[in-house]
Amino acid sequence: MVLTVLTSWLGRQERQAVAYLMEENRVLRRQLRGHRLQFTDDDRRRLAVRGHRLGRQVLRQIASVVAPETILRWHRQLIARKWAYANKPSGRHGVLAEIRRLVVRMAEENPTWGYTRIQGALKNVGHRIGRSTIARILKRHSLPPVPARPTSWQTFLRAHWGAIAGADFFTTEVWTWARISDVLHRVCD
């Protein structure tokens, strides 16, 4: 019994609130005097969602700002747009093949470089890439993290060949007075 009384009271309150809002819309519409309202896409979306729930018959009774057919058309367009973009790939794009090759090359040529060091080297040449992405790339190419990555003499020599060759073949003797007198002492003795 109490539930029935409470339900009818709430229903009456809702009907009175809706009636007030309808009258308020009519007053505002009359004050516009034929000027068109400018709706944003968000306004159209909100009206379309609410209007579709009510249906055409109820909209004919209460809609005063926009024609019921317009509201339902907006809803159809909203649904069509939703399904038109359903096949569009979302999320981040993959890492370029060139950057992947560069990551693998850096890891192979510099076996003591970890993910952060490789990330810094890539940043120096203008590529922004995350540590976890570097880890995934190296894992995909069967390259373990730094402590487990083997370092052979061949790898070391290949990585440092330029510096070794420069030190061995492109050095010059610097002659100073002390060096000349030392050489003369050895020759004279």
Side-chain angles (χ1 to χ4, degrees):
M1 177 75 169
V2 174
L3 186 61
T4 306
V5 171
L6 183 63
T7 305
S8 69
W9 180 76
L10 288 174
R12 188 172 50 241
Q13 290 285 27
E14 283 182 0
R15 283 191 301 276
Q16 288 173 353
V18 168
Y20 170 78
L21 291 173
M22 287 172 54
E23 191 59 37
E24 186 178 60
N25 280 343
R26 284 188 195 104
V27 169
L28 292 173
R29 181 85 170 164
R30 192 172 57 244
Q31 286 182 2
L32 284 173
R33 293 190 189 114
H35 289 84
R36 290 184 51 158
L37 292 174
Q38 299 295 320
F39 293 105
T40 64
D41 288 341
D42 189 52
D43 294 336
R44 289 185 190 97
R45 184 186 57 79
R46 288 170 179 260
L47 289 173
V49 169
R50 298 272 184 193
H52 178 72
R53 288 181 189 154
L54 292 174
R56 188 181 307 270
Q57 295 300 327
V58 177
L59 278 175
R60 283 189 178 131
Q61 295 172 0
I62 64 169
S64 61
V65 177
V66 181
E69 289 73 24
T70 304
I71 292 173
L72 296 175
R73 185 185 75 234
W74 288 347
H75 186 267
R76 285 192 304 271
Q77 290 171 346
L78 184 70
I79 297 301
R81 239 179 302 164
K82 174 185 175 187
W83 291 108
Y85 296 113
N87 294 331
K88 184 179 179 181
S90 61
R92 293 182 164 198
H93 299 290
V95 179
L96 293 174
E98 174 187 349
I99 298 173
R100 287 194 305 266
R101 283 192 298 271
L102 194 56
V103 167
V104 171
R105 181 177 167 198
M106 284 181 175
E108 288 174 345
E109 290 181 1
N110 305 290
T112 59
W113 286 12
Y115 304 145
T116 306
R117 178 64 180 92
I118 293 172
Q119 182 184 28
L122 287 170
K123 188 176 178 184
N124 288 340
V125 294
H127 300 295
R128 290 180 128 355
I129 186 171
R131 289 180 75 248
S132 59
T133 305
I134 294 169
R136 278 195 307 274
I137 291 169
L138 295 181
K139 185 176 181 180
R140 197 174 300 133
H141 286 85
S142 303
L143 290 169
V146 169
R149 202 175 305 153
T151 307
S152 66
W153 274 108
Q154 183 182 7
T155 305
F156 175 81
L157 292 174
R158 193 175 337 123
H160 297 91
W161 179 247
I164 294 169
D168 285 347
F169 300 113
F170 299 105
T171 57
T172 59
E173 287 284 331
V174 178
W175 291 91
T176 62
W177 287 112
R179 178 78 174 141
I180 292 173
S181 65
D182 187 40
V183 170
L184 289 176
H185 271 277
R186 283 193 211 149
V187 173
C188 293
D189 288 338

